[in-house]
Amino acid sequence: MRDGVRLGVDVGRARIGVARCDPSAMLAVPVETVPRAAEGSDADVRRILELAEEYGAFELVVGHPLSLSGSATPSTDDAVAFAERLARGGAAVRLVDERMSTVTAQQALRASGKRAKQQRSIIDQAAAVIILQHAIDAERASGKPPGQSLGTDEGPPPL
């Protein structure tokens, strides 16, 4: 298991949820919801890179939203393009399967008594926590970094 802070990133069309883990990679916690920048702006990428620097993150774990059958969707293409922008900004980025993370986050928030209207502002952060926690748990269990690294010779992102 690699030690060090990682950021979890849940890319949505309107908002991006961000979570972080502690330096021993035991627990993921919510950080912030970043608004998606307008087309042609990189304010969202800059903010996430600022958060990575602020928390001393060595890696960004970006959710890879595949369909339940494992095929790519328009959301998949959007998340991969966003992850590539983060990598071009100098971040080490891994894409990890995030199927059902938003649904799981919604169920957890509903179970905690949050109404749908209250969930809107934190659902993306909760999904980012689930993505990151799954990634660090998978790494701890397997001894291997989770998902697919961008910007390396590991091959193209999985579909």
Side-chain angles (χ1 to χ4, degrees):
M1 179 74 189
R2 301 169 300 154
D3 282 337
V5 175
R6 298 153 178 83
L7 290 188
V9 181
D10 177 52
V11 181
R13 297 261 181 215
R15 294 171 304 277
I16 302 158
V18 181
R20 70 172 176 84
C21 69
D22 60 287
S24 60
M26 293 298 289
L27 184 65
V29 296
V31 171
E32 183 175 316
T33 300
V34 176
R36 279 302 286 263
E39 188 72 31
S41 171
D42 64 349
D44 46 7
V45 169
R46 279 196 323 268
R47 179 61 186 147
I48 292 169
L49 294 175
E50 287 170 2
L51 289 169
E53 185 174 334
E54 178 181 334
Y55 289 105
F58 77 91
E59 183 173 79
L60 305 180
V61 177
V62 178
H64 194 215
L66 300 168
S67 70
L68 290 179
S69 68
S71 58
T73 68
S75 293
T76 307
D77 298 338
D78 184 48
V80 170
F82 190 82
E84 289 170 343
R85 290 174 56 210
L86 290 169
R88 282 194 301 272
V93 178
R94 296 195 78 80
L95 287 170
V96 297
D97 188 346
E98 70 148 289
R99 282 178 266 192
M100 304 300 289
S101 63
T102 300
V103 171
T104 304
Q106 288 170 331
Q107 290 171 340
L109 290 171
R110 196 174 308 115
S112 72
K114 296 281 186 199
R115 294 188 318 263
K117 206 173 227 182
Q118 294 171 309
Q119 289 180 18
R120 217 170 279 138
S121 64
I122 58 172
I123 190 71
D124 302 293
Q125 290 176 46
V129 167
I130 291 166
I131 291 165
L132 182 55
Q133 189 67 55
H134 173 73
I136 60 179
D137 290 347
E139 182 171 339
R140 183 168 289 101
S142 72
K144 298 177 188 171
Q148 178 73 33
S149 179
L150 287 184
T152 69
D153 59 1
E154 289 184 34
L159 292 179

